Amino acid sequence: MSGLLEGKRLLVTGVITDASIAFSVAKVAQESGAEIVLTGYGRMSLVERIAKRLPKPAPVIELDVTDEEQLASLPDHVRKHVDGLDGIVHSIAFGPQSVLGGEFLNAGWEDVSKALQVSTFSYKSLATACLPLMPDGGSIVGLTFDATLAWPVYDWMGVAKAGLESASRYLALHLGPKGIRSNLVSAGPLRTMAAKSIPGFEKFEEAWVERSPLGWDLDDAEPAARAVCALLSDWFPATSGEVIHVDGGFHAVGT
């Protein structure tokens, strides 16, 4: 991977702990030559502390993707650290407990709409906010969880991911003329902080470990991170609107 992203300027969202997929993306990207700027939300002191564990400390910008003022000011904050962007990583998702854990029929619109805004609409919001930083094109990569099926306990977050996958295709359509690609990486289950907040998540873990043709390590985010970095590089110049599975081959096999 050395040199794959040499000279690339990347904005990486979603780092919470060093178990986050986004942290692995930032780490692999730095090792591949990229210059990284991170965004954080809520626990800024924690994100700043985790950022120091990267091969090179990375600046952290506070960003609430539901706050229009923060989105509008994002380009100015990014320019304090880099003069533009070549790539963006969207690793943001949130759903209140009421939309998960088998509560699909009981969840109300107020909570569902929050999940959709943060997990789906924010992909478009982040992309459009960063357009002034990408006059020469680039790559946007998001993280999803296979939304082609209905998964136990995932409920409205599965709907949100289906919306994210559709939104990525529409971004590919509308940003293609600007030279900007939009793709997603569909990672298998990993023991991240987000996963631990999903009631019954162990059902995913057991199935993946047992059935993935290549096997699956629940604690290793690097395979997903490498796929993200590959899509951020110049090696996929004509690929957009795609969902790349990094799940040990689980999606390709039957029960």
Side-chain angles (χ1 to χ4, degrees):
M1 299 289 284
S2 178
L4 182 71
L5 296 173
E6 194 67 42
K8 298 292 187 186
R9 304 153 300 172
L10 307 177
L11 182 71
V12 179
T13 68
V15 172
I16 301 176
T17 71
D18 52 10
S20 306
I21 297 176
F23 179 87
S24 286
V25 170
K27 178 176 180 292
V28 172
Q30 282 189 341
E31 292 170 345
S32 303
E35 189 171 0
I36 300 296
V37 178
L38 304 177
T39 74
Y41 169 68
R43 306 177 183 181
M44 292 302 294
S45 60
L46 174 60
V47 178
E48 289 167 354
R49 187 162 67 250
I50 294 300
K52 294 177 182 177
R53 299 181 185 176
L54 290 167
K56 295 186 293 184
V60 181
I61 298 170
E62 183 172 13
L63 178 64
D64 176 354
V65 288
T66 69
D67 187 319
E68 292 298 330
E69 291 185 3
Q70 288 194 17
L71 286 166
S73 64
L74 181 60
D76 289 337
H77 289 297
V78 170
R79 288 191 185 99
K80 294 177 183 177
H81 307 288
V82 292
D83 58 1
L85 290 176
D86 302 292
I88 303 165
V89 178
H90 179 281
S91 185
I92 299 170
F94 171 76
Q97 287 292 303
S98 63
V99 308
L100 295 156
E103 294 299 314
F104 184 84
L105 297 178
N106 301 319
W109 172 243
E110 183 176 353
D111 286 348
V112 170
S113 64
K114 184 68 173 178
L116 294 175
Q117 182 181 17
V118 177
S119 308
T120 307
F121 187 75
S122 69
Y123 191 65
K124 190 281 296 187
S125 299
L126 181 65
T128 53
C130 291
L131 282 181
L133 298 165
M134 306 177 77
D136 300 319
S139 176
I140 304 171
V141 183
L143 276 300
T144 188
F145 187 79
D146 191 353
T148 60
L149 301 171
W151 298 100
V153 311
Y154 207 45
D155 295 329
W156 284 100
M157 285 303 295
V159 177
K161 291 299 187 182
L164 175 66
E165 293 178 14
S166 183
S168 179
R169 290 190 288 269
Y170 277 97
L171 276 185
L173 171 66
H174 291 284
L175 297 185
K178 300 179 183 295
I180 297 174
R181 295 168 280 133
S182 173
N183 294 288
L184 300 178
V185 169
S186 180
L190 294 163
R191 289 176 177 152
T192 62
M193 183 176 290
K196 291 175 182 177
S197 69
I198 301 174
F201 190 78
E202 64 275 2
K203 295 179 181 179
F204 293 102
E205 298 178 344
E206 295 165 2
W208 246 267
V209 171
E210 292 174 0
R211 289 176 45 204
S212 296
L214 291 174
W216 186 249
D217 187 341
L218 296 160
D219 298 303
D220 185 7
E222 186 165 318
R226 287 189 176 206
V228 171
C229 289
L231 288 168
L232 290 167
S233 78
D234 295 331
W235 283 94
F236 283 87
T239 299
S240 196
E242 188 60 86
V243 178
I244 305 296
H245 288 83
V246 182
D247 63 355
F250 182 94
H251 74 283
V253 300
T255 57

